[in-house]
Amino acid sequence: MKKKITLKQIAKELDVSVSTVSKALSNSKEISEDTTKKIQAFAKLYNYKPNNIALSLKNRKTRTIGILIPEIVHHFFSTVIRGIERVANRRGYNVIVGLSNESFTKEIINMEMLANGSIDGFILSISKETLLKQDYHHFNATINQGMPIVMFDRVVNEVDCDKVIVDDFNGAVKAVKKLIENNCKNIALITTMDYVSVGRLRTQGYLEALQNSGIVADSNLILKIDDSLDVENNLEILEAEIAQFFKSNPNIDGVFAVNELYAVSAMKVARKLGFTIPEDLQVIGFTDGVLSKHATPSLTTVSQHGQKMGEQAANLLIERLEAEDAETEIYFTNNDRKRDFIKVVIETEIIERESTK
Amino acid sequence: MKKKITLKQIAKELDVSVSTVSKALSNSKEISEDTTKKIQAFAKLYNYKPNNIALSLKNRKTRTIGILIPEIVHHFFSTVIRGIERVANRRGYNVIVGLSNESFTKEIINMEMLANGSIDGFILSISKETLLKQDYHHFNATINQGMPIVMFDRVVNEVDCDKVIVDDFNGAVKAVKKLIENNCKNIALITTMDYVSVGRLRTQGYLEALQNSGIVADSNLILKIDDSLDVENNLEILEAEIAQFFKSNPNIDGVFAVNELYAVSAMKVARKLGFTIPEDLQVIGFTDGVLSKHATPSLTTVSQHGQKMGEQAANLLIERLEAEDAETEIYFTNNDRKRDFIKVVIETEIIERESTK
DNA sequence: TGTCAACACGAAAACGTTTTCGTTAAATAT
DNA sequence: ATATTTAACGAAAACGTTTTCGTGTTGACA
């Protein structure tokens, strides 16, 4: 077992100083051609690679990005990670991921664990519990310590940082508008409780689209699911609620659901109740994932472009990190003040499939 | 912006030495009660947390685990990550993830990027391209450098390390046996090309189950999909192949597919061709993911227990890491030799849903 | 009064780098 | 012949810790 070799060992072996080895390996012209050749050959032979931790300590930066998300077994979040990883890797960064599991406490613990030097900045999406508590001190605390944060999807005005979101509002507007154009007269909304910001925005979009077309919203046509319970493992409850909803409102001919699962479940229930899709009932979901694509009938959705969000977030973060570098290196840089925080809005797009006419 | 405070700054502020501060914070009884109190109060006030990088450098271990997987937008892999993260976090470790994207080169680059001190050990699943090339030198190289590896799911005999796999063979046997018991007479297999080990094992299981029941396998009933093409984005090709397959073999009354997508696609195609499921045709897939649960009809599957695999893998790795620690700390430990490499086999389980009788 | 422990703390090394600043010897310029 | 530059290298500091080994000051004891 040959442990990784260090500069010191190379130096000893070749009977030169550590500094000489370091310089030779970086092709410093302080070192003679002969010794440089000799040292580089030796280093190559022993497959020398500088120790990352030592470099991190010296440079006071780790070139790794911390990702903190509520849940990883989730198509949307994994596409975001893929996006982040893509650009991070391309730009020479690593990513380290933490999962809050939708818990406030785990979010804090994870942040503290990573904020002590392990990473240069965060990309995160806020946990449900945190949104409920509306306690954002941990975000502001880490920002105050000089560690930049980029938030995506589930963001919040109370924290000053770069943000990447999808245009939930207009996405919903587009979807409902499409249903209206397709001649739906009684469009239902299946949504979550209000505290997750994205759910609220999509609900507002629904209302807006109706109003724009001169339709008065009927509160009976809005079904709010309590998503504090784990729906994935309580599918029957969800389906029962939806069934009840359809039975109380037999005139429904269009459904807009704020996520994929609700939409697919709605289709499933509706078909059992005798609806034909899209003839009797048209359905549009939000978030374009695997379910939408493979459902029967396949689901028309509002695409969220998770990967693009991840890429944008990573670019924002890295640019800020490297701007900071420049700022400390160049002494007087008043002309190049830190840029303001920006909010990137990713446009949504309707992907038409079989669940609409 | 208050940057994180260091021992040195505390020492200066309180006019003591760095060593005193360090000892006081760890409650060393070398330090008087008075100074200890004072220092701890000050540290708490300024929210002192030791710098992780410095600790890593000093201890020559990072308490972080490197995960290297072919793809993250994939239900199975994300459940594995969830499992790893769960136990890693519980045992005080972080996880850093790299994606090989099924590419040999990216796998190597990622490994080298992480192996230079950033992590203590790897948990990985081999990329398709690597399996094709059968070139495993990078795995053996990192192991030789003293960095332990745990492989899961896609493993290979040529590398000596701990492994966690599912019982692909017996899972397939069980599934096909179930179809036979359910009175299927002509059971088809939809599988991949042979080079991914798991596909091969599942195929063998299929053959074994047939043979056990005295049925001669019919090669016409085996459809091999070339999964080098990106099926997710070429669904039509996949479906066309399957349709052709059904048409050439109209007597098929049972299908075993080596993954979820093939199974769901088979159901979709079959229904379009007029089959009723499960009456005319019964289907079982491998890998229990979102698709299986939400398909119509929902799919009977062989569950892979991704999360459990992740947990087992993490435990194996961490135990080995901490055994190494013990070995270097206690000088004579001949009685406690390094344990042999073990292969944990996770039992599969059939989850019955609507696609079988 | 002199010896020795106990106490409370500091100095320094170590982890693996990079970089600044010497230092020596040879080469060139004056 | 003397002064100055240049080439080639080494020493040491720094990043933030922990830990080993002093060291000086007490107080107790003979």
Side-chain angles (χ1 to χ4, degrees):
Chain A
M1 187 173 82
K2 309 192 317 186
K3 278 260 174 225
K4 301 226 63 162
I5 199 171
T6 71
L7 284 191
K8 197 193 284 191
Q9 295 169 41
I10 299 184
K12 193 172 177 188
E13 215 64 37
L14 262 48
D15 211 46
V16 291
S17 80
V18 176
S19 1
T20 304
V21 179
S22 175
K23 289 171 187 165
L25 291 178
S26 57
N27 282 311
S28 161
K29 54 182 310 229
E30 266 185 67
I31 307 300
S32 76
E33 205 172 321
D34 274 7
T35 19
T36 300
K37 281 247 165 74
K38 188 178 59 179
I39 291 177
Q40 291 192 348
F42 190 90
K44 183 160 197 176
L45 178 64
Y46 282 88
N47 190 29
Y48 169 79
K49 295 278 166 50
N51 180 302
N52 246 322
I53 296 291
L55 284 180
S56 295
L57 184 59
K58 178 125 235 304
N59 301 329
R60 273 117 125 255
K61 67 189 54 132
T62 60
R63 293 191 83 82
T64 97
I65 295 176
I67 302 182
L68 187 48
I69 53 175
E71 173 60 89
I72 197 171
V73 187
H74 196 298
H75 186 263
F76 171 66
F77 284 121
S78 44
T79 52
V80 175
I81 295 189
R82 188 210 256 159
I84 296 174
E85 206 267 353
R86 248 186 189 29
V87 344
N89 234 33
R90 180 156 34 84
R91 300 181 73 157
Y93 284 73
N94 277 318
V95 301
I96 179 164
V97 324
L99 309 179
S100 72
N101 210 18
E102 303 286 10
S103 143
F104 176 72
T105 320
K106 256 207 95 182
E107 192 171 82
I108 292 186
I109 293 182
N110 257 301
M111 287 198 75
E112 284 178 350
M113 200 156 166
L114 296 181
N116 298 317
S118 304
I119 62 171
D120 296 341
F122 273 108
I123 296 179
L124 60 84
S125 195
I126 309 181
S127 84
K128 277 185 196 169
E129 197 186 349
T130 305
L131 288 170
L132 244 177
K133 285 181 112 92
Q134 305 197 31
D135 183 347
Y136 310 121
H137 77 274
H138 48 308
F139 302 133
N140 288 315
T142 53
I143 290 174
N144 274 328
Q145 282 172 14
M147 174 157 306
I149 291 183
V150 177
M151 293 191 172
F152 71 90
D153 197 51
R154 301 195 200 155
V155 307
V156 106
N157 283 328
E158 285 86 339
V159 182
D160 241 10
C161 63
D162 290 324
K163 289 157 192 166
V164 184
I165 54 173
V166 309
D167 192 347
D168 289 289
F169 179 78
N170 280 314
V173 170
K174 279 190 215 170
V176 176
K177 207 161 158 193
K178 168 146 213 77
L179 290 174
I180 296 173
E181 284 166 4
N182 283 5
N183 260 319
C184 293
K185 300 301 177 200
N186 296 288
I187 303 177
L189 170 69
I190 306 184
T191 182
T192 59
M193 298 301 185
D194 282 340
Y195 58 85
V196 173
S197 49
V198 296
R200 191 173 50 238
L201 287 168
R202 293 172 194 169
T203 301
Q204 286 170 5
Y206 163 84
L207 296 172
E208 171 81 5
L210 291 185
Q211 197 179 350
N212 285 350
S213 304
I215 304 175
V216 264
D218 177 356
S219 66
N220 288 323
L221 291 183
I222 299 183
L223 174 60
K224 292 199 181 189
I225 309 281
D226 178 9
D227 63 344
S228 65
L229 63 78
D230 176 11
V231 228
E232 267 296 334
N233 295 316
N234 291 286
L235 263 186
E236 326 74 42
I237 302 184
L238 174 64
E239 289 175 6
E241 276 199 60
I242 296 178
Q244 184 54 44
F245 179 62
F246 275 125
K247 284 176 192 157
S248 332
N249 300 280
N251 55 343
I252 292 177
D253 56 359
V255 170
F256 171 59
V258 297
N259 62 43
E260 197 178 44
L261 180 60
Y262 294 175
V264 171
S265 300
M267 290 206 299
K268 194 168 186 177
V269 170
R271 294 175 79 199
K272 276 190 183 149
L273 293 176
F275 287 88
T276 322
I277 298 174
E279 287 73 14
D280 307 342
L281 180 73
Q282 300 183 55
V283 181
I284 300 186
F286 214 106
T287 308
D288 183 45
V290 264
L291 280 184
S292 310
K293 198 188 270 178
H294 299 287
T296 29
S298 57
L299 181 68
T300 297
T301 59
V302 181
S303 162
Q304 230 175 332
H305 297 300
Q307 180 162 340
K308 196 184 282 181
M309 290 187 76
E311 290 169 359
Q312 291 267 15
N315 277 320
L316 282 180
L317 182 60
I318 293 177
E319 266 150 32
R320 189 169 289 277
L321 289 174
E322 307 197 331
E324 280 173 4
D325 283 10
E327 204 164 337
T328 49
E329 276 166 21
I330 303 168
Y331 291 15
F332 305 100
T333 172
N334 286 348
N335 50 338
D336 187 15
R337 275 338 278 151
K338 212 167 282 184
R339 73 161 154 72
D340 289 336
F341 294 113
I342 59 186
K343 180 187 275 189
V344 174
V345 179
I346 310 265
E347 282 308 316
T348 58
E349 175 195 0
I350 295 209
I351 300 183
E352 292 192 51
R353 297 209 183 81
E354 301 166 351
S355 67
T356 50
K357 285 184 197 165
Chain B
M1 187 173 83
K2 308 190 321 187
K3 278 261 175 222
K4 301 227 64 161
I5 200 172
T6 70
L7 284 190
K8 197 192 286 191
Q9 295 171 41
I10 298 183
K12 195 173 176 186
E13 215 64 36
L14 262 48
D15 211 48
V16 291
S17 79
V18 176
S19 1
T20 304
V21 179
S22 174
K23 289 170 187 165
L25 291 178
S26 57
N27 282 312
S28 161
K29 54 183 308 238
E30 265 185 67
I31 308 298
S32 76
E33 205 173 321
D34 274 6
T35 21
T36 301
K37 282 247 164 75
K38 190 179 57 178
I39 291 177
Q40 291 191 347
F42 191 88
K44 183 160 197 176
L45 179 63
Y46 281 89
N47 190 30
Y48 170 79
K49 296 278 164 53
N51 180 301
N52 246 322
I53 296 292
L55 284 178
S56 295
L57 183 58
K58 178 130 235 305
N59 302 329
R60 273 116 125 257
K61 67 188 53 132
T62 61
R63 293 192 83 80
T64 97
I65 295 175
I67 302 182
L68 188 46
I69 54 175
E71 172 62 85
I72 197 171
V73 187
H74 196 298
H75 187 264
F76 170 65
F77 285 120
S78 44
T79 52
V80 175
I81 294 189
R82 187 209 257 157
I84 296 174
E85 206 266 354
R86 247 188 189 27
V87 344
N89 235 32
R90 180 156 33 83
R91 300 181 72 157
Y93 283 73
N94 277 317
V95 301
I96 179 165
V97 325
L99 309 178
S100 72
N101 209 18
E102 303 285 11
S103 142
F104 177 71
T105 320
K106 256 207 94 183
E107 191 171 84
I108 292 186
I109 293 182
N110 257 301
M111 287 198 76
E112 284 179 350
M113 200 156 166
L114 296 181
N116 298 318
S118 304
I119 62 171
D120 296 341
F122 274 108
I123 296 180
L124 60 84
S125 196
I126 310 180
S127 84
K128 276 185 196 168
E129 197 185 349
T130 306
L131 289 169
L132 244 178
K133 286 180 109 94
Q134 306 196 30
D135 181 347
Y136 310 121
H137 76 275
H138 48 308
F139 302 132
N140 288 315
T142 53
I143 290 174
N144 274 328
Q145 282 173 14
M147 175 158 305
I149 292 182
V150 177
M151 293 191 173
F152 71 89
D153 197 52
R154 302 196 199 154
V155 306
V156 106
N157 283 328
E158 286 86 340
V159 182
D160 242 8
C161 64
D162 290 325
K163 289 157 193 167
V164 184
I165 55 173
V166 309
D167 192 347
D168 288 290
F169 179 79
N170 280 312
V173 170
K174 279 190 215 169
V176 176
K177 206 161 156 192
K178 166 144 215 79
L179 290 174
I180 296 174
E181 285 165 3
N182 282 6
N183 259 319
C184 293
K185 300 300 176 199
N186 296 289
I187 302 176
L189 170 70
I190 306 184
T191 183
T192 59
M193 299 299 185
D194 282 341
Y195 59 85
V196 173
S197 48
V198 296
R200 190 171 52 239
L201 287 169
R202 292 172 195 171
T203 301
Q204 286 170 5
Y206 163 84
L207 297 172
E208 172 81 5
L210 291 186
Q211 196 178 351
N212 285 350
S213 304
I215 304 176
V216 264
D218 176 357
S219 66
N220 288 323
L221 292 183
I222 299 182
L223 175 60
K224 291 198 181 187
I225 309 282
D226 178 9
D227 63 345
S228 65
L229 64 80
D230 175 11
V231 230
E232 266 297 334
N233 295 316
N234 290 288
L235 264 186
E236 327 74 42
I237 301 183
L238 174 64
E239 289 175 5
E241 277 199 59
I242 296 178
Q244 183 54 44
F245 179 62
F246 276 127
K247 284 175 192 158
S248 330
N249 301 280
N251 54 343
I252 292 178
D253 56 359
V255 170
F256 171 59
V258 299
N259 62 43
E260 195 178 47
L261 181 59
Y262 293 174
V264 170
S265 300
M267 291 206 299
K268 195 168 185 177
V269 170
R271 293 175 80 199
K272 277 190 182 149
L273 293 175
F275 288 88
T276 321
I277 299 173
E279 288 73 14
D280 308 341
L281 180 73
Q282 300 183 56
V283 182
I284 300 185
F286 214 105
T287 308
D288 184 44
V290 265
L291 280 184
S292 310
K293 199 189 271 178
H294 299 287
T296 30
S298 58
L299 181 67
T300 297
T301 59
V302 181
S303 161
Q304 229 176 332
H305 297 299
Q307 180 161 340
K308 195 184 282 181
M309 289 187 76
E311 289 168 1
Q312 291 266 16
N315 277 322
L316 282 179
L317 182 61
I318 293 177
E319 267 151 32
R320 189 169 289 278
L321 290 173
E322 305 196 332
E324 279 173 5
D325 283 10
E327 204 164 337
T328 50
E329 275 165 21
I330 303 168
Y331 291 14
F332 304 101
T333 171
N334 286 348
N335 50 338
D336 186 14
R337 277 335 280 153
K338 211 168 284 186
R339 73 161 154 74
D340 290 336
F341 294 112
I342 59 186
K343 180 187 275 189
V344 173
V345 178
I346 309 266
E347 283 308 316
T348 59
E349 174 195 359
I350 294 208
I351 300 184
E352 293 193 50
R353 298 209 184 81
E354 302 165 352
S355 66
T356 50
K357 284 183 197 166

